[in-house]
Amino acid sequence: MDPRQRRTQQALQNALWQLLELHDFDDIRVTDLVAHADIALPTFYRNYENKVDLLTKTLYAIGEQLASEHAHMNLSIENLLQVDAGAGMLPTLPFLRFVDENFLVIRRLLESPYNLLVFEAMLDMMAAQVRRDTPGWEPHEVDLIVGSIIGCVYQWVLSDRKYSVEELAHMIYWTTTSGVLALRGKLKPAQMASLIDNG
């Protein structure tokens, strides 16, 4: 991509995110976006079909950025099981911190008529990252992990962040890890009870 086009797209994506801190998506017009980004209206339409296209591509760009910033994480089941439940780097923490820092925008989008678009983008991004980091995992295991993460985040946002980021990360960690182990037949009911008692 041409560097100037990349700068233009970044300016429009930033403008959308900043305006979403103040307004519902339906209340933001393309003319507001170009004015905020200091870009001509025809330039917008050379880069995006409409503002929904801009929103979709903004969400995927954020996902790619988060994935590249945290590409060092290894989500193999073996490594996950070595994470201390009380300390250490939990794999979902960077994503959860992003959601926490952008809480107003994320909540506004999840309560909008475009929430399915947001869900789809989040599911796609998370699934791509989990598949990349866990090449040996089966598709149904990836589905369990991703569904658990996104479901927990959705409930957390709509409940006004009832738990801290760290508490949510631990909940997701135990849910997903024990779920994958159970799917693999490596976690028996007695072990699950022990996890609950010691969690």
Side-chain angles (χ1 to χ4, degrees):
M1 181 188 297
D2 177 280
R4 190 169 68 177
Q5 184 182 16
R6 186 178 291 111
R7 282 193 302 272
T8 297
Q9 291 184 1
Q10 186 65 60
L12 286 165
Q13 290 173 8
N14 290 343
L16 173 61
W17 209 252
Q18 289 162 11
L19 289 171
L20 279 168
E21 292 176 356
L22 305 169
H23 309 285
D24 289 338
F25 183 70
D26 275 336
D27 296 333
I28 299 171
R29 299 167 302 175
V30 172
T31 52
D32 300 324
L33 291 162
V34 296
H36 198 80
D38 195 23
I39 287 170
L41 187 60
T43 304
F44 177 92
Y45 287 107
R46 280 198 295 274
N47 287 275
Y48 301 102
E49 292 177 29
N50 50 46
K51 68 177 189 175
V52 175
D53 183 36
L54 170 61
L55 173 61
T56 303
K57 289 178 177 159
T58 299
L59 293 169
Y60 280 94
I62 290 168
E64 288 173 13
Q65 181 181 342
L66 284 171
S68 68
E69 287 173 1
H70 304 287
H72 62 282
M73 288 186 187
N74 186 333
L75 298 183
S76 70
I77 195 71
E78 294 76 18
N79 282 358
L80 278 175
L81 289 173
Q82 292 175 21
V83 176
D84 184 337
M89 187 56 174
L90 295 164
T92 56
L93 267 178
F95 173 66
L96 299 179
R97 286 187 177 130
F98 170 81
V99 173
D100 189 46
E101 290 163 7
N102 295 275
F103 174 72
L104 291 176
V105 174
I106 302 294
R107 180 164 185 150
R108 198 180 297 273
L109 288 171
L110 288 177
E111 291 179 330
S112 78
Y114 303 92
N115 60 0
L116 289 179
L117 181 126
V118 176
F119 269 124
E120 185 177 332
M122 289 170 71
L123 288 167
D124 286 350
M125 290 181 296
M126 192 66 63
Q129 184 168 359
V130 172
R131 278 194 297 270
R132 183 200 70 205
D133 292 344
T134 57
W137 287 20
E138 297 295 328
H140 62 280
E141 294 173 335
V142 173
D143 289 345
L144 180 139
I145 293 279
V146 173
S148 295
I149 293 169
I150 301 304
C152 286
V153 169
Y154 177 75
Q155 182 60 36
W156 182 63
V157 169
L158 294 189
S159 68
D160 286 322
R161 296 174 288 185
K162 188 159 63 170
Y163 311 102
S164 71
V165 169
E166 289 74 19
E167 288 171 328
L168 183 63
H170 288 296
M171 289 167 60
I172 291 172
Y173 167 74
W174 286 114
T175 301
T176 55
T177 304
S178 59
V180 170
L181 285 173
L183 283 174
R184 292 184 176 191
K186 294 183 178 179
L187 188 63
K188 308 300 180 208
Q191 292 171 298
M192 293 175 74
S194 174
L195 281 175
I196 292 167
D197 292 339
N198 297 321

